[in-house]
Amino acid sequence: MILSTKVLLGASVVQIAVFWLWKRTVEKIHLGTFVVVLVMGSLTIFLDNPIFIVWKPSIVNWSIATVLLVSLLIRRNLVRKAVEGFLKQAPHLQLSMPEDKWAPLCIIWVLYFIALGCINLFVYFTYGEDFWVTFKLVGFTVINMVFFVGQFLFLSRYISEVKPDNNQESEG
């Protein structure tokens, strides 16, 4: 566990450096995760105790849940911003979701991240370190895939394809 924590710390430093060199900026979520990795990973290594790195995913997930909840309370729904930002990558698609659907969607994400944090600790303290390591890699990958496919299926009801404007094509 100590060796993998050292690798995680090294990879995290490289990730932040590459993003900075490539984009000249670092996303807040990456920076926040890096700080948690740095603190918890350092404690794991210096105190020779893996419990700190075990808590890291829970702290990150609960932090994300908190940020999403606060964004909802101050009426700046970050789930909405993320979905709309993601769809900007596909200009031929248009999202027309009713206003009253956004807050419940954000609450679902908040509950999802709270649950991930709880599942992380439940698995570790119930099944032990070896099982936790495998579950963290495989189990969380499956859980994330199911959640995000579910989100896509929900949102797909409100996504439509935009027909290209023939006037613009003939002008170009």
Side-chain angles (χ1 to χ4, degrees):
M1 185 70 86
I2 302 301
L3 176 60
S4 62
T5 301
K6 289 177 181 178
V7 171
L8 174 65
L9 282 170
S12 296
V13 168
V14 169
Q15 177 193 23
I16 295 295
V18 166
F19 267 98
W20 174 254
L21 291 172
W22 183 30
K23 301 270 189 175
R24 290 290 182 216
T25 186
V26 178
E27 298 284 332
K28 290 177 185 174
I29 192 159
H30 292 150
L31 197 54
T33 301
F34 175 70
V35 168
V36 174
V37 166
L38 186 63
V39 170
M40 301 307 272
S42 297
L43 288 170
T44 295
I45 292 166
F46 293 125
L47 299 176
D48 196 26
N49 187 340
I51 196 64
F52 297 103
I53 208 65
V54 168
W55 274 88
K56 190 243 357 143
S58 295
I59 291 170
V60 168
N61 284 311
W62 293 336
S63 297
I64 293 170
T66 302
V67 167
L68 291 176
L69 184 58
V70 168
S71 81
L72 185 60
L73 295 174
I74 65 171
R75 304 204 186 283
R76 296 190 193 274
N77 188 331
L78 289 179
V79 170
R80 181 177 189 162
K81 288 185 184 293
V83 169
E84 290 172 344
F86 180 73
L87 280 174
K88 283 183 182 176
Q89 304 300 314
H92 63 287
L93 299 177
Q94 177 180 340
L95 178 67
S96 301
M97 193 159 92
E99 209 49 51
D100 65 337
K101 302 286 185 195
W102 285 108
L105 184 64
C106 188
I107 294 294
I108 288 169
W109 282 55
V110 167
L111 295 173
Y112 172 71
F113 283 109
I114 290 170
L116 281 182
C118 293
I119 291 167
N120 176 61
L121 296 177
F122 173 79
V123 168
Y124 180 80
F125 288 113
T126 303
Y127 300 104
E129 188 175 296
D130 291 339
F131 184 85
W132 174 80
V133 169
T134 302
F135 183 82
K136 189 172 176 300
L137 178 64
V138 178
F140 279 128
T141 301
V142 170
I143 290 169
N144 284 326
M145 287 175 58
V146 168
F147 179 75
F148 287 108
V149 166
Q151 294 301 291
F152 173 76
L153 292 174
F154 172 77
L155 290 168
S156 67
R157 295 185 255 180
Y158 305 106
I159 297 174
S160 58
E161 193 166 351
V162 177
K163 303 279 189 239
D165 187 1
N166 289 336
N167 293 335
Q168 287 180 345
E169 287 181 8
S170 62
E171 292 173 7

